[in-house]
Amino acid sequence: MSDSNRVVVIGGGVIGAASAYHLAKAGRAVTVVDRAGFGAGCSHANCGYVCPSHVLPLAAPGALWATLKTMFARNSPVKVRPGVVLRDLGWFLNFARRCKRSHMMAAGVAIRGLLVSSRGLYDDLIRDEHLECEWQTKGLLFVFRSHHAMDHYAETDRLLRDEFETPARRLDGAALAALEPALRPGLAGGWRYEGDAHLKPDRLMAEFRRVLTGLGVEIREHCPVAGLIRRGDRAAGVITIGGEIPAADVVFATGACTPQLRAELGCRVPIQPGKGYSITFPRPAGGPVNPMIFEEDRVAVTPFHDNLRVGSTMEFAGYDDRLNRDRLAYLTDTAAAYLKVMPTGPADDEWWGWRPMTPDGLPIIGRTPALANVWLAAGHNMLGLSMAPATGKLIAELVTGTKPHLDPTPYAPTRF
C-alpha cells in the first residue's frame, strides 16, 4: 500500500496493538513504532482482567480524603508522594473537583460503554483470530474479610445493578468457601461479577504480534520518536532515530508517557503516571482457581495455567523507574492473609508499570486540537487491557471517517 494510506501508530502496548488491528482490518497500511519492545510496558504483566464490573472511576465521593490520608500512612494500597502533588497540583485539583456523585455517574456511563463493547469484541477477536492467550470466562470475585465491609459493598452493588446493569452475585461465608476452597476460613464473603473474564497479558501481546504481522502491519521496536514532520496543520510523517516514516495519519497510543510528547501533540495532556506492581510465581498446588480482588486491601490475584500473579497497588511517584520492594512485600503479605497456600519458591517475574491516570477517570480518544490528522488513544487509567478492543475500533472509525460505534464525545481531547 502507498504512504498516502499509511497510519503510524506510536506505542506498542495493548492500545496501540488494538488500534493497529482495527486500522489494518479497515484497509489501512499500518506501522507500529515503540521506543522499547512491543508489549513491554503496562501490557506485559498486569493482572489480565477484562472487567465490565469496573465501571466507577477513581474520582468518587470520599476518594479525595482517602487519598490524602495515604501521604501519612506507612503502608497502604495507594501511595501519594507530597512532592508529586506540589509539582502537578493542577492534576490533583482537577481530580478533587471530580470527586462528586454527578461526575462519577457521568464518567461511569462513558466507562461502561468502552468496557461492554470491549468484552464483546474480545469474544469476537479470540474466536476469529484463534488467539491462544489463556482466555477464561470465570467472572471476577471481590472478597471481603469483615462483615461490615461486605455489607457496605451492597450499596455499590445496588448502584451498579440499578444504574449500570452490572449485577453481582452475593456469596456469604460458606458459599464463598465452596466456590473458592483456596481461601482461608472465616472470611465474611464475596461478590461475584459473572460477566467478567481474564487472560494472560503477555500471551495476548504475542498473539497480537502474530495477527498483526499476518495482516501486513510493520512493527518497529526500540525506535524512539523524535518528532513529527509538519506541513501546516497536518503531520506528513514521523521522525524516528531509524529515519522518517511518511504517514497520512498518526495515532499516539503512548500511555503514561504521553505528557512528555506535548510539543509533538500541540496540546496539554493531563495524565499522571500511577505506578502499579505485580509479582508472578509458579502456580502452587492448592492455589486459587478464580481471579479475585481483596477489595479492602486493593490486591488482586490471577491464576493462569502455570502461574499465580499477585498485583495492584497505586503509587503516585512521578516518573520514578525504581522497583519498590516494599510494594511487592505488601502484595504478597496481603495475599497470604487471604490464601491458605502461597508459593514458597522464587518469583518468575517482579514487575512495575506506569498506569496512565486522568483526573476524570476517562481515556483520551480522538483528534488532537492542533493537528488535523493526529489522534490520541491514551489515558486508560487502570483499564487499558479491558478497554483496548473498543478503543482500537473507535480510533479506526474516527480515522477512516466511519460512523463510530460509540459516542466519542466523552473521551475527546478537547474536554481539557
Side-chain angles (χ1 to χ4, degrees):
M1 295 184 186
S2 70
D3 291 332
S4 63
N5 192 46
R6 182 164 303 280
V7 182
V8 176
V9 177
I10 302 172
V14 69
I15 300 297
S19 299
Y21 173 79
H22 284 284
L23 285 162
K25 296 292 280 188
R28 301 296 296 266
V30 181
T31 298
V32 177
V33 297
D34 195 281
R35 66 180 186 177
F38 183 83
C42 263
S43 302
H44 169 67
N46 61 65
C47 287
Y49 295 159
V50 178
C51 46
S53 61
H54 283 50
V55 169
L56 300 179
L58 185 63
L64 177 61
W65 175 241
T67 301
L68 289 173
K69 287 193 296 184
T70 69
M71 294 184 186
F72 309 103
R74 181 178 178 275
N75 208 1
S76 69
V78 180
K79 295 290 289 183
V80 182
R81 292 188 187 175
V84 172
V85 177
L86 295 174
R87 186 170 62 248
D88 295 311
L89 187 59
W91 190 97
F92 288 94
L93 289 175
N94 200 346
F95 175 85
R97 287 193 291 268
R98 301 282 179 172
C99 292
K100 300 176 182 178
R101 180 182 171 87
S102 59
H103 289 300
M104 178 188 75
M105 297 299 291
V109 171
I111 291 170
R112 182 178 185 273
L114 286 167
L115 291 176
V116 172
S117 173
S118 287
R119 179 62 180 83
L121 288 169
Y122 265 119
D123 282 330
D124 297 341
L125 181 65
I126 287 163
R127 180 193 65 239
D128 296 344
E129 304 296 351
H130 310 289
L131 301 189
E132 297 292 337
C133 58
E134 300 191 23
W135 175 248
Q136 298 184 63
T137 56
K138 293 184 176 182
L140 182 59
L141 186 60
F142 286 59
V143 178
F144 292 87
R145 286 182 290 114
S146 72
H147 291 281
H148 173 75
M150 176 75 179
D151 292 338
H152 182 71
Y153 191 80
E155 299 175 15
T156 301
D157 174 65
R158 189 176 303 111
L159 174 68
L160 296 182
R161 182 185 301 270
D162 294 346
E163 302 294 336
F164 298 103
E165 301 177 16
T166 307
R169 180 161 65 96
R170 180 168 181 152
L171 299 162
D172 288 298
L176 176 66
L179 176 69
E180 184 48 85
L183 288 168
R184 290 183 179 275
L187 297 171
W191 296 84
R192 188 184 188 203
Y193 289 92
E194 298 178 344
D196 287 11
H198 72 280
L199 52 77
K200 196 169 187 186
D202 59 326
R203 290 299 309 146
L204 173 68
M205 295 308 296
E207 289 290 87
F208 255 134
R209 179 192 283 271
R210 173 183 65 80
V211 171
L212 292 175
T213 301
L215 291 171
V217 174
E218 179 188 18
I219 298 174
R220 299 192 188 186
E221 299 177 282
H222 308 290
C223 187
V225 170
L228 298 177
I229 305 167
R230 297 198 184 199
R231 292 180 184 161
D233 68 345
R234 300 182 66 83
V238 175
I239 304 167
T240 77
I241 62 166
E244 297 181 355
I245 309 172
D249 292 278
V250 179
V251 176
F252 281 82
T254 40
C257 294
T258 307
Q260 299 173 344
L261 300 165
R262 180 174 179 175
E264 288 78 10
L265 293 167
C267 65
R268 186 174 66 92
V269 184
I271 289 176
Q272 183 72 214
K275 203 173 186 181
Y277 291 83
S278 75
I279 183 166
T280 305
F281 297 99
R283 186 168 175 176
V289 297
N290 293 283
M292 297 179 283
I293 296 177
F294 306 136
E295 181 67 6
E296 290 160 271
D297 300 286
R298 302 296 176 90
V299 169
V301 170
T302 311
F304 299 120
H305 290 169
D306 299 318
N307 308 104
L308 180 70
R309 179 164 294 158
V310 185
S312 194
T313 81
M314 178 70 73
E315 187 178 21
F316 288 103
Y319 292 98
D320 182 346
D321 61 0
R322 294 169 294 180
L323 187 144
N324 185 338
R325 305 206 69 84
D326 288 343
R327 306 311 283 160
L328 295 180
Y330 174 81
L331 294 176
T332 54
D333 290 349
T334 300
Y338 286 84
L339 299 175
K340 293 177 182 176
V341 176
M342 278 291 289
T344 56
D348 290 338
D349 192 13
E350 297 177 334
W351 174 89
W352 65 266
W354 289 318
R355 302 186 186 99
M357 306 299 294
T358 59
D360 60 2
L362 294 176
I364 305 168
I365 307 169
R367 193 198 319 265
T368 61
L371 295 166
N373 63 335
V374 174
W375 310 82
L376 267 171
H380 289 74
N381 294 268
M382 297 173 284
L383 297 172
L385 186 81
S386 288
M387 292 180 169
T391 297
K393 183 175 182 179
L394 184 57
I395 277 289
E397 291 162 344
L398 294 172
V399 170
T400 60
T402 307
K403 182 180 179 180
H405 76 292
L406 294 172
D407 179 6
T409 306
Y411 323 113
T414 52
R415 74 183 189 269
F416 300 112

